[in-house]
Amino acid sequence: DSSVRDVVSTMWANEEDAGVQMLGCASLGRMATEAGSSDKDIASVALLGVTAVVNAMKNHPNEPAVQERACAALAVLAPADGVREVSFAASGAISSVVSAMQAHVSDATVQIEACRALRGIAAKGGAERATMVASVSGFTALINAMGAHPDDGDVQRETCLAMEVLTSFPDAYLPNIAGQAEPFLQAAAENFPDDCLKPAMAVREKLL
């Protein structure tokens, strides 16, 4: 796709320009959304797009706007993981999303978009990807997000939903986080029952 190539080429040619990277990530996310609903359709954008997005994240770790748009793009691109040569593991996408959460704990929007990305990656990649998220401290990042934004219903909802998917694979190798996560899951369920009760209870059942 020539339009994808144009965006990616511009991103690589302007690696140090945070504004270009932010707009490039936003464009790739939009193109993936418009490409179609099948994994192969999204892969047409992801083949070139994933590495460009990850490169933007690595070059601008302290720019929340870049991290936010990059995570949002990866969430849309996630269904293409494993299709043709697309790999969210080899590209460093998973570790980059968790790094964004760790570097911008106080930024609710970054946390929300990163949670959506992790949920999408695990939903497509199953136990293997869930294990990989755990191996780069993804669960700690999710718990920290809940702790940093106790009154933000959107953050609480997205963290619960991400954890629900990540803990849904019996074969995944996950850390023992029951004690750490329990008070935050309980608080989310009580404070935002409409959005959080069901996923929080599902996570508790898996962990306990």
Side-chain angles (χ1 to χ4, degrees):
D1 190 306
S2 60
S3 57
V4 174
R5 283 195 203 92
D6 289 345
V7 170
V8 170
S9 295
T10 301
M11 290 176 72
W12 284 106
N14 299 275
E15 289 180 281
E16 304 309 314
D17 190 321
V20 169
Q21 301 305 307
M22 180 189 71
L23 292 173
C25 289
S27 295
L28 290 171
R30 186 176 65 253
M31 288 175 180
T33 301
E34 295 170 352
S37 57
S38 78
D39 298 354
K40 288 184 179 179
D41 291 334
I42 297 170
S44 67
V45 180
L47 273 168
L48 295 173
V50 171
T51 51
V53 170
V54 172
N55 189 58
M57 298 178 83
K58 290 180 176 177
N59 281 327
H60 301 279
N62 299 318
E63 293 284 350
V66 173
Q67 301 297 316
E68 171 199 329
R69 298 299 174 84
C71 287
L74 290 175
V76 181
L77 293 166
D81 188 17
V83 179
R84 294 163 72 180
E85 294 85 34
V86 179
S87 173
F88 273 57
S91 65
I94 295 172
S95 57
S96 293
V97 171
V98 175
S99 293
M101 296 184 74
Q102 294 168 332
H104 302 281
V105 178
S106 63
D107 191 309
T109 308
V110 170
Q111 300 301 312
I112 289 167
E113 298 298 348
C115 287
R116 288 173 178 161
L118 292 180
R119 174 159 52 112
I121 292 166
K124 176 65 195 296
E128 184 182 337
R129 291 295 187 254
T131 298
M132 187 163 289
V133 170
S135 74
V136 293
S137 303
F139 279 90
T140 301
L142 288 165
I143 293 168
N144 288 342
M146 297 183 85
H149 303 275
D151 301 318
D152 191 316
D154 293 332
V155 172
Q156 298 298 313
R157 180 188 68 247
E158 294 303 328
T159 51
C160 286
L161 290 172
M163 290 178 77
E164 182 181 23
V165 174
L166 287 161
T167 57
S168 66
F169 308 104
D171 295 336
Y173 184 75
L174 305 179
N176 183 5
I177 58 162
Q180 211 180 347
E182 169 67 19
F184 297 108
L185 291 168
Q186 183 69 35
E190 291 176 358
N191 295 331
F192 306 100
D194 290 347
D195 288 334
C196 299
L197 180 60
K198 186 178 176 183
M201 293 304 102
V203 174
R204 288 179 71 196
E205 285 179 16
K206 297 282 185 354
L207 295 178
L208 298 178

